[in-house]
Amino acid sequence: MQKFKKSLFATGLTIVLLYLAVCVYFYSIQNSILFSPWPLDEGHEYSYEFDFEERWFDVTDGARIHGILAKTPDSSKGLVIYYHGNGGNDDTDPEKFLLFMREGYDLLYPDYRGFGLSTGKLKNEEDLVGDMKIVYSEMTKEYQEENIFIIGYSMGSGIAAQVAAENNPKGIMIWAPYYSMVDMKNKDYPFLPSFLMRFPLRTDLAIPKIDEPITIFYAGEDEILPVERSIKLTEFLKDSDEFIVLDRQKHGGIFYNDELRRRIPEILEGNN
C-alpha cells in the first residue's frame, strides 16, 4: 500500500509539473502565436501615389510608433484611424487608404511595436492598446474628436473597441472581429487558465462602454476568427447599432467586399 501511495504521488507530481511546464511555455510564446510583424528597414521609402506624411508618436518605455497619414487633396471631412490586423505593416495595399479618402477623409494607419518602422517590443496588452490610445489622443490635437472615425480589422478590432470605449469618436466600425482573445484561447487551449493571457483583448467588455454608433462587419466564411464565436458580440450592441454578415466573405481582403464598400459612405456620414 505504501509503495502504491508513493507511486500515485509521483505520478500526480509529474502531471502537475508537466502542466506547469505547458503553462510556462504557452505564456512565453504568446507573441509568436498572436503576431506576425513585418519590420521595415530604417530609411524605407514608401511609394504611395497619394499625398501622405510619415508620423511618429512617442509612447512608453522609449518606444516610438510609426504611421502613415494619408491626406485628401481637398479639405477633409475628418480623420479615420485604421487599426490593422496581426500581420503586415503600414506599407500596405493603397486601397485601404483610398477607400476612405474617396469619401473626403484623411486616414492614419499606425503600426504596432515591432511592425514596420515602429520600435519597441510588445510585452503585454498595455503596450499594444495603450500605445494606440496615445496615438488617438495625439490626433485629437489636429482633428476635432467628433470628426474622428475608428476602424478596427481582425486583431485591430479589439484595440479599436478599447480606444473607442475611453474616448468619444464620431463612430466605430469593426471588421472580422473576435469576441475576445480569451475566447479564442478557450477554443484552442481550453485546458489553460485565462490569467496566462498577456493580451486578453476583451472586445466583449469594451463594446458595452461605447456610446457612439457601432457597425460590425462579420466575414460569413471567416476561416481565422469563426463567425459563430464572434457573433456573440451582437448581444452588446445598442438598438441604434448595426451588424452585417458578409456572405461568402473570407477573413482576408474584406475591404474589397462589395457590400462593405457600398455601406461605408453612409456609415461615415452617420446615416446607417
Side-chain angles (χ1 to χ4, degrees):
M1 179 63 71
Q2 191 67 24
K3 288 183 179 180
F4 174 75
K5 288 182 177 179
K6 287 183 178 179
S7 176
L8 187 63
F9 176 78
T11 300
L13 181 61
T14 300
I15 292 173
V16 169
L17 291 175
L18 285 173
Y19 180 73
L20 290 175
V22 170
C23 290
V24 170
Y25 179 70
F26 174 78
Y27 185 85
S28 66
I29 66 167
Q30 281 180 62
N31 282 52
S32 61
I33 294 174
L34 293 176
F35 306 112
S36 300
W38 295 2
L40 295 172
D41 294 331
E42 185 176 351
H44 176 79
E45 294 186 6
Y46 294 83
S47 58
Y48 293 125
E49 295 183 358
F50 47 75
D51 184 26
F52 71 92
E53 302 172 1
E54 294 187 53
R55 290 296 185 90
W56 289 96
F57 303 88
D58 294 320
V59 291
T60 58
D61 302 329
R64 302 189 76 204
I65 297 301
H66 180 268
I68 293 294
L69 177 62
K71 309 278 285 187
T72 56
D74 302 313
S75 58
S76 73
K77 296 178 181 178
L79 175 71
V80 171
I81 302 179
Y82 186 108
Y83 297 115
H84 65 76
N86 71 333
N89 54 50
D90 59 16
D91 193 350
T92 187
D93 190 328
E95 189 60 25
K96 294 177 184 177
F97 295 90
L98 295 172
L99 191 57
F100 300 97
M101 295 174 71
R102 294 189 191 103
E103 304 306 320
Y105 282 80
D106 297 343
L107 186 136
L108 177 70
Y109 196 104
D111 270 332
Y112 314 125
R113 298 187 190 200
F115 290 69
L117 296 173
S118 292
T119 67
K121 294 182 179 180
L122 291 168
K123 302 181 297 297
N124 50 48
E125 184 168 303
E126 181 56 33
D127 291 340
L128 180 64
V129 178
D131 289 355
M132 295 302 110
K133 290 177 181 178
I134 292 173
V135 168
Y136 181 95
S137 178
E138 287 298 306
M139 296 311 295
T140 61
K141 299 175 182 177
E142 302 178 40
Y143 296 84
Q144 295 292 321
E145 191 172 15
E146 60 265 26
N147 295 325
I148 297 178
F149 209 99
I150 295 176
I151 308 289
Y153 164 66
S154 189
M155 174 70 73
S157 63
I159 299 168
Q162 291 197 48
V163 172
E166 293 191 11
N167 293 282
N168 299 290
K170 182 177 182 179
I172 173 174
M173 272 188 276
I174 56 179
W175 302 348
Y178 44 87
Y179 188 78
S180 71
M181 279 299 123
V182 174
D183 182 64
M184 294 304 296
K185 186 276 300 178
N186 290 341
K187 169 181 170 290
D188 295 327
Y189 310 101
F191 53 90
L192 294 174
S194 296
F195 66 77
L196 292 175
M197 296 293 294
R198 288 187 285 120
F199 304 90
L201 292 169
R202 296 296 301 271
T203 312
D204 58 316
L205 298 183
I207 284 181
K209 300 176 183 178
I210 301 173
D211 296 325
E212 293 72 30
I214 304 170
T215 307
I216 303 179
F217 285 94
Y218 296 100
E221 295 183 6
D222 198 319
E223 73 283 16
I224 305 298
L225 301 173
V227 68
E228 59 267 21
R229 299 190 75 89
S230 58
I231 197 73
K232 296 179 293 182
L233 291 173
T234 58
E235 300 172 10
F236 306 112
L237 296 179
K238 305 179 292 295
D239 290 342
S240 57
D241 296 331
E242 187 177 11
F243 73 93
I244 300 98
V245 178
L246 302 172
D247 292 339
R248 297 185 296 278
Q249 175 63 51
K250 300 291 188 181
H251 188 78
I254 194 170
F255 56 93
Y256 277 113
N257 182 278
D258 290 338
E259 175 68 7
L260 182 146
R261 294 163 73 90
R262 184 182 68 80
R263 295 296 307 278
I264 281 178
E266 62 189 71
I267 294 171
L268 291 175
E269 295 305 310
N271 298 323
N272 58 315

